[in-house]
Amino acid sequence: MLSTNRGTVGGFFLAGRSMVWWPIGASLFASNIGSGHFVGLAGTGAAAGIATGGFEWNALIFVVVLGWLFVPIYIKAGVVTMPEYLKKRFGGRRIQMYLSVLSLLLYIFTKISADIFSGAIFIQIAMGLNLYLAIIILLGITGLYTITGGLAAVIYTDTLQTIIMLVGSIILTGFAFSKVGGYEAFMEKYMNAIPSNTSYGNITIDPKCYTPRADSFHIFRDPITGDLPWPGLTFGLSILALWYWCTDQVIVQRCLSAKNMSHVKAGCVMCGYLKLLPMFLMVMPGMISRILYTDTVACVVPSECEKYCGTKVGCSNVAYPKMVVDLMPNGLRGLMLSVMLASLMSSLTSIFNSASTLFTMDIYTKIRSRATERELMLAGRLFILALIGVSIAWVPVVQSAQSGQLFDYIQSITSYLGPPIAAVFLLAIFCKRVNEEGAFWGLVIGLVIGLVRMIAEFAYGTGSCVNPSNCPKIICGIHYLYFAIILFGICTIIILGVSLITKPIPDVHLYRLCWSLRNSKEERIDLDANEKIEEPESNDDVSEQGDEEQGCCKKAYNWFCGLDQKKGPKLSKEEQEAIQKKLTDTSERPIWRNVVNINGIILLTVAVFCHAFFA
């Protein structure tokens, strides 16, 4: 934080495009793996077996797609945010604003709420702290170094916390497999992990509600009766992965901060290898927790579940925290607590930084077109404070959602809202015939269809095995991964159909914005070039004049917000063009290009092998 370039928009939001591959790879992984993964993946693993690990392994393919196909276009386009790319590609403001607002809502109500909820479960079980006090302290510390440090500070802390997370979870996995007697014993004992209490009153619960699934050790499951059907896991999940890994601001922003394309690709490959680990460090330990604490983790009688974890529909979410508290000795228990808090803070810092970037660059600049750089910096930091306030206010809602299905809730929300965005970005890059009208109506109609399914499902409730939901089959009977495939298909047809019956965008506006024109050397005329461009007001005179008059408090305030860094000499037009050329350069040295390409192929091979081995 002391040495990072925080005093400019480029420095605060893109780390000055100076990051090397290993912090990028670690930060991509840490941004993705929050405490929601520790609690959610382990909980779903305890309830249903290893198939949920397929969500993690699917990423091995899409980090390659991100680094090799999407990021080169984003860099050539010279954008900072994803809505900014769509504005350059399609023109107008409505798509950019739509995506900015939708992304911020998704951050608040899925990512932030999930991390706070899962972190709260762990804190309650491990420490017995007051829930609100713990959350306020956590969010306060997290917000502090995001506000003061910018993206470079976030990436470096992500790197440190990735190491803490991996070391702690590897130690716990070792303890867990040792306790259960090795892998073979683990497979055998899991299939027999049945709770002792399976009836209440005159009601005997259906055995399928508490007996481990026969396909618990298979990733690919029956397309009709499977809880994660293989076509959904293969195709539906790929659509969600395309949205998350290739178009999400949190992820793409890390890649845009790399010093060159080879570092982008190497960082993506490193993240891909790290994504192999959650299956063994989270999903399987969750399954072992069911073996060790069967009556708690696998409870089905509502009154028993409420006694163990405070909710009637199941306690699988406590699988990982329960094992940490009961299985590990005191010193290591403290290490694991730090792992959980590190993952929570890591994920939240990434979201806070990226959300403030979206707000500042895509929304605030429309409200205040003549804002100074100082004002933009402060707006970004104040927005982080507002996010923290909304997050704390949302805690009671998250707390009441302790239904044991938070991980499914996040995935289903993504299935309802993500496919239209994935369709627009995919077609924007690979089909130059797509225009603004097609993209806009595809997004709007896709959103309406997704909201109809989402509102209906949560109005009726998702239910549980013991008490199924009353939602009509025609609305809720389609698995959410199948729904994602259908929604993606509908949006693609609408986007292409409307685009083909409306006026195409001339090539002069598309140079270096889509795949077929990515290597064009001709000058691009941006679609928004006719809009009045307001240069940020300069405060040079004021800052020079007031520099010597500043008191201690003012200097401390400026340092805290990264606004005290001395301005360099005013750049000439040629120097500004040179800097812009560097920021949009995607060239690579041949030797390193070959090295990262070979590693990308190896990573894809590993992904295919892992899926086949556990299929």
Side-chain angles (χ1 to χ4, degrees):
M1 191 177 88
L2 294 174
S3 63
T4 56
N5 175 19
R6 310 175 291 129
T8 64
V9 171
F12 185 73
F13 295 128
L14 285 185
R17 276 213 70 187
S18 60
M19 300 305 298
V20 293
W21 64 274
W22 57 271
I24 291 171
S27 184
L28 285 171
F29 179 71
S31 302
N32 171 243
I33 299 289
S35 54
H37 277 71
F38 281 96
V39 172
L41 281 176
T44 309
I50 68 169
T52 190
F55 282 86
E56 300 304 296
W57 285 355
N58 189 270
L60 272 68
I61 297 164
F62 280 89
V63 289
V64 174
V65 173
L66 168 69
W68 271 258
L69 300 181
F70 280 77
V71 172
I73 298 294
Y74 297 147
I75 290 177
K76 284 175 181 287
V79 297
V80 175
T81 68
M82 297 301 92
E84 185 187 355
Y85 168 75
L86 290 185
K87 187 183 179 190
K88 281 183 180 287
R89 173 65 176 82
F90 295 119
R93 290 186 176 181
R94 54 186 185 174
I95 292 178
Q96 184 187 22
M97 291 297 288
Y98 168 100
L99 194 60
S100 298
V101 173
L102 181 62
S103 298
L104 291 173
L105 291 175
L106 280 167
Y107 286 155
I108 292 168
F109 299 121
T110 61
K111 293 181 180 179
I112 297 176
S113 64
D115 281 334
I116 291 174
F117 171 78
S118 49
I121 290 175
F122 192 91
I123 292 166
Q124 280 187 308
I125 290 176
M127 299 173 67
L129 274 182
N130 175 276
L131 182 71
Y132 294 96
L133 175 64
I135 285 172
I136 289 169
I137 291 170
L138 274 176
L139 289 175
I141 296 170
T142 302
L144 179 69
Y145 70 76
T146 309
I147 291 167
T148 56
L151 182 63
V154 171
I155 289 180
Y156 285 125
T157 49
D158 278 353
T159 306
L160 174 64
Q161 289 165 355
T162 301
I163 296 168
I164 298 173
M165 280 196 282
L166 292 178
V167 170
S169 46
I170 287 168
I171 291 170
L172 179 61
T173 302
F175 268 91
F177 273 102
S178 172
K179 184 81 172 176
V180 87
Y183 189 76
E184 295 296 328
F186 154 61
M187 293 179 70
E188 181 185 337
K189 291 178 180 177
Y190 178 80
M191 299 308 294
N192 297 313
I194 297 171
S196 55
N197 191 351
T198 58
S199 62
Y200 59 101
N202 296 322
I203 300 172
T204 301
I205 296 168
D206 189 335
K208 73 176 184 182
C209 293
Y210 57 80
T211 305
R213 296 180 59 92
D215 55 7
S216 290
F217 287 90
H218 300 283
I219 288 180
F220 293 141
R221 298 181 175 179
D222 189 276
I224 307 298
T225 60
D227 58 335
L228 287 174
W230 72 262
L233 200 67
T234 305
F235 303 108
L237 184 56
S238 294
I239 293 166
L240 306 188
L242 176 70
W243 166 74
Y244 181 78
W245 287 102
C246 300
T247 74
D248 186 70
Q249 179 70 20
V250 174
I251 297 301
V252 175
Q253 190 180 0
R254 271 125 197 81
C255 293
L256 295 180
S257 70
K259 65 197 301 185
N260 60 43
M261 271 311 302
S262 294
H263 285 277
V264 172
K265 293 176 180 178
C268 289
V269 169
M270 177 182 171
C271 175
Y273 284 123
L274 289 174
K275 289 291 284 179
L276 287 168
L277 300 176
M279 172 73 89
F280 308 104
L281 302 184
M282 297 171 202
V283 178
M284 289 183 180
M287 296 168 73
I288 292 173
S289 185
R290 176 178 178 136
I291 297 169
L292 300 177
Y293 316 107
T294 307
D295 285 341
T296 301
V297 175
C299 69
V300 283
V301 175
S303 59
E304 290 291 305
C305 291
E306 191 167 26
K307 182 175 76 176
Y308 291 133
C309 64
T311 181
K312 293 183 177 182
V313 297
C315 290
S316 61
N317 273 338
V318 306
Y320 201 89
K322 177 81 174 164
M323 195 157 55
V324 172
V325 172
D326 290 2
L327 194 61
M328 300 190 82
N330 286 337
L332 291 174
R333 192 181 306 155
L335 173 67
M336 284 311 297
L337 174 62
S338 70
V339 168
M340 296 301 296
L341 299 188
S343 69
L344 172 66
M345 291 169 65
S346 167
S347 189
L348 288 177
T349 47
S350 300
I351 294 164
F352 287 155
N353 185 269
S354 296
S356 69
T357 308
L358 276 177
F359 173 78
T360 306
M361 307 306 286
D362 293 333
I363 297 175
Y364 191 78
T365 51
K366 305 298 178 295
I367 301 167
R368 291 270 300 160
S369 59
R370 291 181 62 84
T372 63
E373 183 148 5
R374 172 185 290 251
E375 186 179 336
L376 291 178
M377 300 289 292
L378 287 175
R381 287 164 161 98
L382 289 173
F383 183 72
I384 294 173
L385 293 177
L387 266 186
I388 291 172
V390 172
S391 304
I392 294 171
W394 190 247
V395 167
V397 181
V398 176
Q399 205 176 5
S400 67
Q402 281 194 24
S403 61
Q405 296 173 338
L406 189 71
F407 202 73
D408 281 347
Y409 156 81
I410 298 164
Q411 299 302 334
S412 58
I413 290 280
T414 305
S415 297
Y416 308 147
L417 302 181
I421 300 173
V424 165
F425 272 94
L426 188 69
L427 293 172
I429 288 176
F430 294 104
C431 179
K432 71 175 187 176
R433 182 62 181 81
V434 169
N435 60 18
E436 195 269 350
E437 290 85 354
F440 178 75
W441 287 110
L443 285 171
V444 169
I445 295 171
L447 178 65
V448 170
I449 295 170
L451 284 176
V452 167
R453 165 72 189 259
M454 185 176 79
I455 292 168
E457 188 165 291
F458 289 106
Y460 283 100
T462 50
S464 66
C465 184
V466 178
N467 298 303
S469 169
N470 295 319
C471 184
K473 288 283 184 187
I474 193 168
I475 298 175
C476 302
I478 303 170
H479 193 281
Y480 63 82
L481 290 176
Y482 284 152
F483 183 84
I485 299 172
I486 295 168
L487 184 56
F488 182 83
I490 291 171
C491 292
T492 301
I493 292 168
I494 291 169
I495 293 166
L496 291 174
V498 174
S499 294
L500 289 172
I501 61 173
T502 50
K503 191 176 169 185
I505 299 172
D507 283 1
V508 70
H509 300 303
L510 298 177
Y511 295 135
R512 298 176 299 286
L513 291 178
C514 53
W515 190 255
S516 60
L517 301 173
R518 67 190 183 282
N519 295 320
S520 171
K521 303 292 183 190
E522 298 183 53
E523 184 179 354
R524 179 178 71 237
I525 300 174
D526 285 333
L527 285 163
D528 58 352
N530 292 331
E531 294 181 18
K532 188 178 178 183
I533 297 170
E534 303 278 9
E535 291 293 330
E537 290 177 357
S538 173
N539 279 353
D540 287 358
D541 298 338
V542 178
S543 61
E544 283 171 20
Q545 172 190 336
D547 216 27
E548 295 176 7
E549 300 169 12
Q550 287 180 356
C552 294
C553 294
K554 181 69 172 175
K555 286 180 180 177
Y557 161 80
N558 281 343
W559 173 84
F560 177 81
C561 288
L563 299 173
D564 66 325
Q565 300 188 19
K566 303 294 182 192
K567 289 186 180 290
K570 193 166 177 68
L571 298 177
S572 66
K573 187 179 178 184
E574 291 75 18
E575 288 171 321
Q576 288 176 338
E577 287 175 357
I579 290 173
Q580 184 61 27
K581 187 177 179 183
K582 182 197 168 193
L583 290 175
T584 56
D585 179 35
T586 57
S587 61
E588 298 175 78
R589 288 175 59 187
I591 182 172
W592 293 116
R593 182 178 63 229
N594 293 336
V595 168
V596 292
N597 286 348
I598 291 167
N599 274 279
I601 293 168
I602 294 171
L603 179 63
L604 292 175
T605 307
V606 169
V608 172
F609 171 79
C610 288
H611 279 89
F613 186 81
F614 286 96

